[in-house]
Amino acid sequence: MNFKRFTLISFAALSTFGLVACGADSSDVSSEKVSVGIIQYAEHEALDLSKDGFLEALEDAGYKEGNNLTVDFQNAQGDQANLQTMVDQLAREHDLNFAIATPAAQAMLNVDTETPSVFTAVTDPIGAELVDSLEKPGGNMTGSIDATDVSGQIDMLVKVVSAVKKAGIFYNSSEVKSSKKLKKHKKHWKIRELKWS
């Protein structure tokens, strides 16, 4: 089995879900069976759709579950202890691992630095220490990011509705990525933080 090719097809599966721009030709897919481990951090519609889109794109590329593809799907239900147990079970057991959300990708990388792994639903893979850079991920992980261009959105809002004098940004102060985004955009726009009890 050509694992580089399988990883490329897996990464191309993300493109079908609209996350990255890659392609794959399924005309010469190996008949050899391959195994994929999927770890999802929590039950959430967007995360569920990420898994479904990934599997659909693999099928479009010639990898069909029950035929030449075995899938071991685990959902930690947002529980860190569950997550650790599940990634321990998936580590080094499959040809490829697919991690959905930052905690799942981090947990997988902590226990398996060898198996090719693809992540999605990750905002800052560099800050999460999943990859060295976006251009050259290094290691055994690659994937797609879901970061939004907040400054670009505010710029567009001001262009479309020129009368806008104030805009609010809601964020979760307990999430590192939310706080980091706010800090970044405070510099670009005159944003002040309001707190209430």
Side-chain angles (χ1 to χ4, degrees):
M1 159 47 83
N2 184 337
F3 295 120
K4 285 188 179 180
R5 175 169 168 64
F6 183 65
T7 302
L8 174 63
I9 289 172
S10 300
F11 197 61
L14 293 173
S15 70
T16 302
F17 196 61
L19 300 173
V20 294
C22 290
D25 176 15
S26 63
S27 61
D28 62 343
V29 169
S30 171
S31 60
E32 183 180 349
K33 293 190 177 194
V34 293
S35 175
V36 173
I38 300 178
I39 181 67
Q40 182 172 319
Y41 178 61
E43 198 75 34
H44 186 280
E45 185 178 1
L47 303 183
D48 295 343
L49 288 171
S50 294
K51 175 189 65 99
D52 294 345
F54 180 74
L55 293 174
E56 281 177 33
L58 282 177
E59 187 169 335
D60 290 346
Y63 291 95
K64 184 172 180 168
E65 191 172 4
N67 184 6
N68 61 347
L69 175 66
T70 302
V71 177
D72 181 356
F73 173 66
Q74 304 285 328
N75 188 324
Q77 301 296 334
D79 184 289
Q80 199 64 36
N82 284 346
L83 182 64
Q84 191 58 53
T85 300
M86 290 172 179
V87 295
D88 285 341
Q89 292 171 354
L90 294 174
R92 292 170 296 284
E93 293 294 324
H94 303 284
D95 300 314
L96 177 88
N97 287 316
F98 183 54
I100 306 171
T102 302
Q106 288 175 316
M108 181 55 70
L109 185 61
N110 283 339
V111 298
D112 189 348
T113 58
E114 298 170 9
T115 306
S117 297
V118 178
F119 58 76
T120 193
V122 172
T123 301
D124 183 9
I126 298 168
E129 299 182 355
L130 300 174
V131 297
D132 297 333
S133 74
L134 298 180
E135 296 77 23
K136 294 183 178 180
N140 67 320
M141 279 203 158
T142 190
S144 63
I145 61 174
D146 62 3
T148 54
D149 180 9
V150 176
S151 291
Q153 290 173 344
I154 295 172
D155 286 337
M156 180 63 74
L157 176 66
V158 171
K159 286 178 185 172
V160 173
V161 187
S162 58
V164 169
K165 300 290 182 215
K166 293 181 181 179
I169 298 176
F170 291 92
Y171 79 103
N172 183 344
S173 61
S174 66
E175 278 189 350
V176 174
K177 64 183 178 182
S178 292
S179 299
K180 193 173 182 180
K181 275 187 186 180
L182 181 68
K183 186 176 180 182
K184 174 184 175 185
H185 300 297
K186 275 183 177 179
K187 294 176 184 175
H188 183 73
W189 289 90
K190 292 179 181 173
I191 295 175
R192 66 187 174 99
E193 193 171 349
L194 300 176
K195 294 185 179 179
W196 61 88
S197 53

